[in-house]
Amino acid sequence: MTLADTTAKVAKLAAAADSIGSTIKFSFKGGEGVVYLDGSSDPNVVSNEDKQADCTVNVAFDDFNDLLSGSLNPMGAFMSGKLKIDGDLSVAMKLSSLFG
């Protein structure tokens, strides 16, 4: 899956969800880029801009796609260190409403 494919998938999920009132950046460990979710507006806006966010989720690109597909449990990924969170942890907790 390419960054464009992943971004489109996140945009589709975000469009169907309520605004989360915060910004989140998914930063991929292998240098594949970022997916930026601006949930401070309604509707949520998704881009590949690398800018400051309330919460940054650091994860490998393949693991992120596994999270999106449901084949990787978010809590398991966090507990095993595959997913690391910088910034406001309460913002990261809102992701279940977006991707759940």
Side-chain angles (χ1 to χ4, degrees):
M1 189 174 277
T2 67
L3 180 60
D5 294 335
T6 299
T7 303
K9 187 167 187 175
V10 172
K12 183 177 179 180
L13 291 168
D18 292 333
S19 174
I20 59 171
S22 305
T23 57
I24 300 173
K25 177 171 58 174
F26 301 96
S27 181
F28 304 119
K29 295 177 183 177
E32 288 88 350
V34 301
V35 172
Y36 184 84
L37 171 68
D38 185 348
S40 62
S41 61
D42 192 10
N44 297 308
V45 177
V46 177
S47 71
N48 295 115
E49 294 180 75
D50 189 3
K51 54 187 181 179
Q52 287 293 107
D54 298 317
C55 176
T56 300
V57 177
N58 297 292
V59 61
F61 186 70
D62 289 339
D63 289 338
F64 182 71
N65 283 299
D66 288 345
L67 287 166
L68 289 177
S69 71
S71 63
L72 179 62
N73 177 288
M75 186 57 72
F78 179 75
M79 298 302 282
S80 68
K82 288 184 174 188
L83 182 145
K84 296 186 179 173
I85 298 169
D86 293 322
D88 191 342
L89 185 58
S90 67
V91 174
M93 301 303 286
K94 295 178 184 179
L95 289 175
S96 63
S97 68
L98 205 73
F99 300 129

